[in-house]
Amino acid sequence: MKTISTTNSRGEFVRAPSEFRNWVTQDGTAGPTGSGGFKAEPGRYHLYVTYNCPWAHRTLIFRALKKLEDVISISVAHPQRTPEGWSFLLNDANSSDGLNGFYYLKEAYEMAAPGYEGRYTVPVLWDKNTQTIVSNESADIIRMLNSAFNEFTPNQDNFYPLPSRAKIDEINTFVYNQINNGVYRAGFAKSQAAYEQAYNDVFAALDELEELLSHQHYLLGDQLTEADWRLFPTLIRFDLAYYGVFKCNKKRLVEYKHLWAYTRELYQYPGIAETVNVDHIKQGYWRNSERNPLGIIPVGPELDLWEPHLRLRNEFARASNLTGS
């Protein structure tokens, strides 16, 4: 099986870059990376995902946000990887590949690039017409879903608007380095110093966001953007997995008043709860591994994700006026 992580000489986790970086565009021209030839068409594209992977979760979120369920089909892999990587159980309706009948995700990579020797990661955006991988970079895929398929959906919301892109990119970089990838830097660290640095980075960032969300609604103020949806998959997994498996155990997310309410608000956003599979998340992270050698999956924690979040826009406006900001 291809390794999912590497470490440097200091024992720090280093994530390998995605290797398929083509784009689906409205007219089929090339996107910011890769080559052209992938035109947005209903029924042409397919997502290979797992419910436990936060990077794959991003794509499920945008598929739901943009109401693309009838435009882009999906196959969901089993949450526990095998020695051959992500697998699809042919007799399991919840973890099967109804498109190509693949048993392992690696079959998609090998069909797209014979002799491929990289990592077999999710998500994968697959082109049914040319039988190849368009992209395995989640950050690119969510931007394709955000705008390329607007002709085929009633939802024209833009979560990456041009006037806000510089600020979104800035926040994304901070959130990715300190939180999204920060929990993995802690969990996959091979030295005490590397672990402690990642641990401190994660909680410093959570403290900063807790303060930010105490006086504004979203990461960009009143505007719900891509940045919020890139943060959400890590937050929803925090108490379920990262607190225990990755030893990010200074505080549980439920102890952050504003972050926890913000997480519940995003979870309760139309269509989002259906993209969260708590059982798959726990199975995926607590599987048999060097971090949990017996593979015992915890029953808890009990999280009431439908508890009213009580985050009202006028309350933030009032707070802003009181502080003069």
Side-chain angles (χ1 to χ4, degrees):
M1 184 178 105
K2 301 297 185 295
T3 182
I4 64 164
S5 65
T6 57
T7 53
N8 62 22
S9 61
R10 296 183 297 276
E12 297 169 333
F13 168 69
V14 179
R15 187 176 297 278
S18 300
E19 299 186 47
F20 294 84
R21 297 292 298 273
N22 295 305
W23 283 69
V24 175
T25 57
Q26 288 182 320
D27 59 3
T29 56
T33 59
S35 58
F38 296 99
K39 182 179 180 180
E41 300 176 66
R44 177 173 172 175
Y45 299 98
H46 188 82
L47 275 170
Y48 285 104
V49 298
T50 64
Y51 283 121
N52 51 299
C53 172
W55 320 108
H57 191 187
R58 294 175 174 182
T59 65
L60 289 171
I61 286 171
F62 271 78
R63 178 175 175 262
L65 287 174
K66 297 293 292 188
K67 299 187 183 302
L68 294 171
E69 293 92 341
D70 294 331
V71 176
I72 298 171
S73 52
I74 64 169
S75 292
V76 179
H78 193 273
Q80 297 197 14
R81 282 192 302 273
T82 73
E84 297 296 322
W86 298 112
S87 68
F88 303 95
L89 306 182
L90 302 182
N91 61 347
D92 184 345
N94 295 318
S95 299
S96 61
D97 176 26
L99 177 64
N100 292 306
F102 293 144
Y103 192 74
Y104 296 111
L105 181 63
K106 72 175 187 178
E107 296 173 59
Y109 280 85
E110 292 166 354
M111 181 180 288
Y116 177 77
E117 295 185 350
R119 301 178 307 145
Y120 308 130
T121 61
V122 287
V124 165
L125 183 62
W126 180 263
D127 179 15
K128 301 176 187 178
N129 286 5
T130 60
Q131 292 287 285
T132 195
I133 294 174
V134 179
S135 177
N136 67 341
E137 173 49 62
S138 65
D140 295 349
I141 294 172
I142 64 174
R143 290 187 180 173
M144 298 177 213
L145 302 185
N146 179 63
S147 59
F149 296 89
N150 278 352
E151 181 181 352
F152 313 110
T153 174
N155 189 324
Q156 302 298 301
D157 291 344
N158 183 1
F159 296 96
Y160 189 55
L162 185 59
S164 302
R165 288 183 181 178
K167 185 61 175 176
I168 292 172
D169 290 345
E170 178 185 348
I171 293 176
N172 283 346
T173 298
F174 169 76
V175 167
Y176 172 80
N177 289 333
Q178 306 296 101
I179 300 177
N180 296 150
N181 200 46
V183 292
Y184 280 86
R185 288 168 44 223
F188 286 98
K190 298 296 185 182
S191 72
Q192 186 70 30
Y195 160 68
E196 291 185 11
Q197 181 62 61
Y199 173 98
N200 290 330
D201 287 347
V202 167
F203 286 99
L206 291 177
D207 289 344
E208 185 171 335
L209 293 185
E210 173 73 0
E211 170 59 25
L212 180 71
L213 293 170
S214 72
H215 61 263
Q216 65 183 53
H217 208 90
Y218 301 118
L219 298 183
L220 261 73
D222 285 338
Q223 186 179 29
L224 179 61
T225 70
E226 172 192 289
D228 299 287
W229 296 117
R230 284 176 47 132
L231 173 61
F232 174 74
T234 302
L235 297 183
I236 201 68
R237 286 161 175 76
F238 201 89
D239 289 1
L240 296 171
Y242 304 138
Y243 180 89
V245 182
F246 285 180
K247 302 182 289 293
C248 294
N249 56 2
K250 181 179 180 180
K251 294 172 66 175
R252 291 179 58 198
L253 190 70
V254 295
E255 297 177 61
Y256 286 96
K257 174 183 176 181
H258 301 289
L259 270 170
W260 178 231
Y262 165 84
T263 301
R264 298 198 311 276
E265 180 181 5
L266 295 182
Y267 177 84
Q268 294 167 25
Y269 195 90
I272 300 305
E274 290 78 7
T275 71
V276 177
N277 188 315
V278 169
D279 288 340
H280 276 220
I281 290 170
K282 291 200 290 186
Q283 285 187 54
Y285 282 98
W286 290 93
R287 67 186 182 278
N288 185 295
S289 70
E290 63 182 18
R291 288 171 297 280
N292 187 29
L294 296 179
I296 296 173
I297 299 171
V299 176
E302 294 185 359
L303 301 174
D304 185 1
L305 290 162
W306 289 108
E307 178 188 353
H309 56 80
L310 305 178
R311 302 185 77 245
L312 304 176
R313 290 178 184 271
N314 60 345
E315 292 298 324
F316 290 105
R318 185 178 302 117
S320 178
N321 290 333
L322 289 174
T323 58
S325 57

